[in-house]
């Protein structure tokens, strides 16, 4: 249950909501257009939309707002997300398995703790952006995992893409400490993460959703609250199941165009003007034609998402033959060493030298 508020219309937000955003992170009004604290924009500033639940502006008073924010997992997505929080003036503490990835954020003003447990213990709300279900469980529940630092009044927001069962497992352990849990996987890749334009698909404790909302709005352009834990994870997997199939189909089209003597660059242009236009085709098509795959969304993660989506479909006996076939292509690409390339490298699996 949500409604849309244009960022151009920030003055439609309640004063409570704006004051809450401002007090959360002192420089937050800059995110809304470079205005000084507590002043509202009076003219259109951007054309993006922010989705708010109908109760988001009734969140707790600013006295109750968390001020210390933890961030675990500083990969392609986690680094820019944490960076945006720091730039908004939040008091951010970071941890990453490979410590060197913390250094750029520390130089921007972040604090560092040597374990997820210590981050969680020192923060009010802790975000986690990990690779897959295994690492999400490890960081949350493993030795010196975040759960050991959680207690009543704290919140854990897992923004990794995982399956519902993993999310429920983590939620159960976090909540057993008295803390709150929110799953909030994101749609949007490296550039949207850098630009604070992610789409959050949240589910879990509504109270934590409301508390975390101003932070989500620093990192994203919209947020959906979907109810019980598992629903956010499921929505994300459905979206990425579609995306993985789209990319596989686009790859076939590019190769077929070339093989029949037409220019694939023209195909990209034609597609961009019609009903099947999608930003990822226009952005990635030109590089794919040159067999270049600069990594924004690692292929191994797309295959993981297809695998998890197929498991979800299996659990309700939904037929998904197109996604199943696409998954096979990503597996072939992985087996040829393309795991860390962008997921658009799936096209290589269709080229003669890589076919079995
Ligand atoms: N890239 C994208 O476009 C998008 C990605 N996602 C999802 O977001 C999540 C993160 O993606 P992304 O940032 O691209 O991935 P990366 O591979 O760049 O980063 C993965 C992160 O997980 C950490 N990690 C991996 N395994 C472990 C482990 N066993 N223990 C502790 N930490 C571990 C890595 O630590 P280390 O640095 O030490 O390796 C790193 O911080 C994934 O679930 C992905 O599916 C969602 C939307 C878009
Ligand atoms: O999960 C990947 C994305 O682009 O969204």
């Amino acid at each position: 249950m949500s409604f849309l508020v244009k960022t151009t219309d920030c003055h439609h937000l309640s004063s409570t909501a704006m004051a809450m955003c401002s007090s959360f992170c002192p420089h937050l009004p800059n995110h809304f257009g470079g205005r000084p604290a507590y002043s509202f924009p009076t003219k259109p500033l951007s054309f993006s939309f922010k989705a708010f639940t109908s109760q988001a502006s009734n969140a707790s008073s600013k006295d109750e707002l968390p001020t210390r924010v933890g961030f675990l997992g500083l990969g392609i997505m986690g680094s820019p997300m944490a960076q945006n929080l720091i730039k908004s003036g939040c008091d951010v503490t970071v941890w990453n398995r490979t410590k060197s990835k913390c250094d750029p954020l520390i130089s921007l003003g972040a604090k560092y703790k040597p374990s997820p447990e210590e981050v969680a213990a020192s923060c009010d709300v802790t975000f986690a952006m990990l690779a897959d279900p295994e690492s999400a469980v490890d960081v949350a529940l493993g030795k010196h995992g975040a759960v050991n630092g959680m207690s009543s009044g704290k919140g854990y927001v897992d923004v990794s893409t995982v399956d519902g069962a993993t999310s429920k497992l983590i939620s159960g352990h976090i909540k057993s400490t008295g803390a709150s849990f929110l799953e909030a996987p994101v749609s949007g890749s490296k550039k949207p993460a850098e630009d604070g334009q992610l789409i959050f698909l949240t589910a879990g404790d509504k109270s934590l959703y409301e508390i975390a909302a101003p932070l989500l709005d620093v990192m994203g352009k919209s947020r959906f609250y979907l109810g019980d834990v598992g629903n956010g994870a499921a929505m994300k997997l459905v979206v990425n199941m579609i995306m993985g199939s789209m990319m596989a189909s686009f790859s076939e089209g590019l190769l077929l165009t070339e093989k029949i003597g037409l220019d694939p660059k023209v195909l990209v242009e034609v597609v961009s003007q019609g009903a099947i236009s999608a930003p990822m085709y226009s952005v990635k098509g030109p590089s794919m034609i040159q067999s270049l795959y600069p990594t924004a969304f690692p292929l191994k993660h797309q295959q993981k998402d297809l695998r998890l989506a197929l498991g979800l479909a299996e659990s309700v006996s939904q037929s998904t033959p197109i996604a199943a076939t696409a998954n096979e292509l990503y597996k072939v690409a992985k087996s040829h060493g393309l795991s860390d390339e962008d997921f658009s490298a799936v096209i290589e699996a269709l080229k003669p030298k890589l076919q079995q």
Side-chain angles (χ1 to χ4, degrees):
M1 189 174 63
S2 65
F3 62 87
L4 291 171
V5 178
K6 240 180 163 177
T7 52
T8 53
D9 292 327
C10 281
H11 50 279
H12 289 161
L13 289 176
S14 73
S15 55
T16 313
M18 285 303 289
M20 189 176 118
C21 294
S22 307
S23 65
F24 216 129
C25 303
H27 303 144
L28 201 52
N30 287 336
H31 186 70
F32 290 97
R35 302 272 161 163
Y38 305 112
S39 79
F40 294 177
T42 52
K43 61 176 182 168
L45 296 166
S46 85
F47 295 97
S48 64
F49 285 85
K50 295 214 176 245
F52 294 88
T53 73
S54 54
Q55 291 171 31
S57 59
N58 296 328
S60 46
S61 81
K62 61 183 179 181
D63 293 340
E64 294 163 342
L65 286 172
T67 55
R68 299 164 303 172
V69 183
F71 212 106
L72 310 172
L74 302 171
I76 292 169
M77 297 298 285
S79 289
M81 291 169 78
Q83 188 167 324
N84 282 334
L85 290 172
I86 296 164
K87 285 182 176 168
S88 291
C90 296
D91 177 0
V92 178
T93 303
V94 297
W95 172 87
N96 192 64
R97 178 180 64 174
T98 307
K99 203 257 174 184
S100 58
K101 291 189 188 170
C102 297
D103 296 341
L105 295 162
I106 294 169
S107 55
L108 284 175
K111 295 170 183 156
Y112 170 77
K113 293 281 180 190
S115 70
E117 174 179 356
E118 287 164 89
V119 172
S122 67
C123 292
D124 302 300
V125 173
T126 298
F127 287 85
M129 187 42 137
L130 286 320
D132 49 26
E134 294 73 25
S135 53
V137 168
D138 221 28
V139 169
L141 311 179
K143 195 173 177 212
H144 303 302
V147 71
N148 300 304
M150 300 302 297
S151 58
S152 177
K154 292 178 184 286
Y156 192 75
V157 184
D158 197 333
V159 290
S160 323
T161 303
V162 298
D163 56 304
T166 297
S167 202
K168 286 174 190 162
L169 175 72
I170 295 172
S171 174
H173 284 270
I174 296 287
K175 286 173 74 73
S176 72
T177 68
S180 307
F181 178 83
L182 191 72
E183 66 183 10
V186 300
S187 189
S189 196
K190 185 179 176 203
K191 181 80 166 62
E194 289 166 355
D195 294 346
Q197 293 287 305
L198 296 169
I199 302 163
F200 286 93
L201 306 170
T202 78
D205 283 317
K206 188 73 183 283
S207 56
L208 179 56
Y209 170 73
E210 289 170 348
I211 287 167
L215 299 173
L216 302 182
D217 293 343
V218 167
M219 298 181 280
K221 65 177 178 182
S222 63
R223 48 186 155 85
F224 294 80
Y225 180 76
L226 301 167
D228 293 339
V229 172
N231 290 346
M235 183 65 86
K236 173 62 185 167
L237 293 179
V238 173
V239 171
N240 274 30
M241 181 185 84
I242 297 169
M243 188 170 79
S245 300
M246 282 173 66
M247 181 55 81
S249 180
F250 183 57
S251 298
E252 289 180 340
L254 285 175
L255 292 176
L256 177 58
T257 306
E258 199 163 19
K259 203 154 216 174
I260 58 178
L262 292 173
D263 185 348
K265 289 201 249 354
V266 177
L267 174 71
V268 174
E269 181 64 24
V270 171
V271 166
S272 78
Q273 293 186 27
I276 62 165
S277 167
M280 73 175 194
Y281 296 149
S282 303
V283 169
K284 296 182 191 282
S287 327
M288 292 168 75
I289 292 165
Q290 298 176 70
S291 304
L292 295 173
Y293 314 106
T295 309
F297 182 39
L299 187 140
K300 65 186 174 194
H301 294 336
Q302 175 62 81
Q303 196 275 318
K304 172 256 304 178
D305 293 351
L306 277 164
R307 173 173 59 81
L308 297 176
L310 292 173
L312 177 64
E314 174 75 30
S315 72
V316 292
S317 298
Q318 173 60 49
S319 179
T320 49
I322 293 171
T325 303
N327 185 43
E328 292 303 315
L329 283 178
Y330 288 94
K331 283 162 62 181
V332 170
K334 265 176 70 174
S335 72
H336 286 88
L338 297 168
S339 287
D340 294 319
E341 300 289 318
D342 189 71
F343 78 118
S344 49
V346 70
I347 192 173
E348 292 292 333
L350 292 160
K351 293 182 179 174
K353 63 180 165 49
L354 283 187
Q355 280 174 340
Q356 301 307 311

